[in-house]
Amino acid sequence: MPKIIGLTGGIGSGKTSVAKILEEQGFPVYYSDDEAKNIVNKDPMLKDQIIKLLGSESYIDDVYNRKYVAEKVFNNAGLLEQLNHLIHPAVRIDFEKWVKKQSSRFVFKETALLFELQLNKDCYKSLLVTADDNLRMKRTMDRDGKTYREIEAIMQKQMPEKEKIKLADYVIYNNSDPETLRIATEAFAEDLE
């Protein structure tokens, strides 16, 4: 069985960039957030549960209505927790099936909520990609076209970087340019044991 390394980072940290570099190095990467987006559309039982929880507007023409769902749960912690309790077990099952198909010694599970949902407990090690808040803010504004206030609201809902750093087994600081990030990621990959 491959050893699972949880890969995480707050919004704008560069965790997806690190995941892509790791894939180039030959490591399989499971993108939890992307897979969750597929699963909510493919799993009929999950669809029914989400509609029961959030209403029929959760799907438009049988496609998950992310904007509607996000607006419903963003300022309602109880509803968000209930939604997570529906989606995360389905993602976990999908991930376990995926791991069984891998032959690499290490696989990476890329997920934004590794520490928040205590998914790191199911991992051999954890890798955090982090950057200064102002830099993460600028990257996200440039990438997503969101306002400062929108990104600030997202960041405030995520676990503070200081707490994540304490929990992580490995940390890559992404406060520089893409080449520096590549060098740091490749060095991390070479040191894996």
Side-chain angles (χ1 to χ4, degrees):
M1 247 337 233
K3 290 180 176 175
I4 299 161
I5 299 175
L7 169 59
T8 194
I11 189 167
S13 65
K15 80 174 178 307
T16 305
S17 298
V18 167
K20 299 292 181 199
I21 296 165
L22 289 166
E23 280 185 309
E24 289 168 18
Q25 297 290 307
F27 295 101
V29 177
Y30 181 90
Y31 294 88
S32 299
D33 299 341
D34 292 344
E35 292 304 327
K37 289 170 194 166
N38 292 331
I39 291 166
V40 293
N41 284 306
K42 289 190 298 192
D43 184 328
M45 196 169 81
L46 182 59
K47 274 186 190 181
D48 290 343
Q49 291 172 323
I50 291 170
I51 289 168
K52 267 188 203 134
L53 179 67
L54 301 172
S56 59
E57 301 91 343
S58 304
Y59 287 83
I60 297 174
D61 297 327
D62 218 27
V63 175
Y64 189 64
N65 184 351
R66 288 183 59 210
K67 188 177 186 325
Y68 167 81
V69 172
E71 287 169 1
K72 280 287 269 193
V73 303
F74 191 74
N75 288 312
N76 187 329
L79 214 49
L80 176 61
E81 189 175 338
Q82 288 177 66
L83 180 64
N84 283 338
H85 280 295
L86 296 177
I87 295 174
H88 290 292
V91 173
R92 184 180 304 116
I93 290 165
D94 187 66
F95 173 69
E96 287 167 359
K97 288 178 187 171
W98 177 85
V99 169
K100 287 176 184 167
K101 295 176 188 169
Q102 306 308 314
S103 57
S104 178
R105 193 162 157 236
F106 297 100
V107 297
F108 287 83
K109 182 179 190 177
E110 186 255 14
T111 180
L113 301 174
L114 184 74
F115 298 122
E116 289 86 341
L117 297 174
Q118 299 183 348
L119 301 172
N120 55 313
K121 292 180 177 171
D122 299 328
C123 298
Y124 167 67
K125 297 281 183 185
S126 60
L127 169 61
L128 171 68
V129 183
T130 189
D132 294 342
D133 286 356
N134 59 347
L135 191 52
R136 292 172 49 220
M137 183 76 70
K138 182 184 179 332
R139 285 177 185 151
T140 309
M141 287 169 70
D142 293 348
R143 181 189 71 197
D144 299 346
K146 290 188 185 305
T147 66
Y148 180 89
R149 293 254 182 265
E150 288 172 316
I151 300 161
E152 186 179 45
I154 292 167
M155 288 171 81
Q156 285 176 350
K157 291 209 179 290
Q158 295 181 335
M159 183 184 286
E161 292 298 291
K162 287 177 187 166
E163 286 181 41
K164 289 182 190 175
I165 290 167
K166 287 178 194 167
L167 293 169
D169 295 301
Y170 305 101
V171 180
I172 292 177
Y173 292 90
N174 184 20
N175 288 318
S176 189
D177 56 90
E179 189 52 33
T180 304
L181 180 64
R182 174 173 293 282
I183 291 165
T185 304
E186 289 174 356
F188 160 79
E190 280 174 28
D191 287 345
L192 269 182
E193 288 179 15

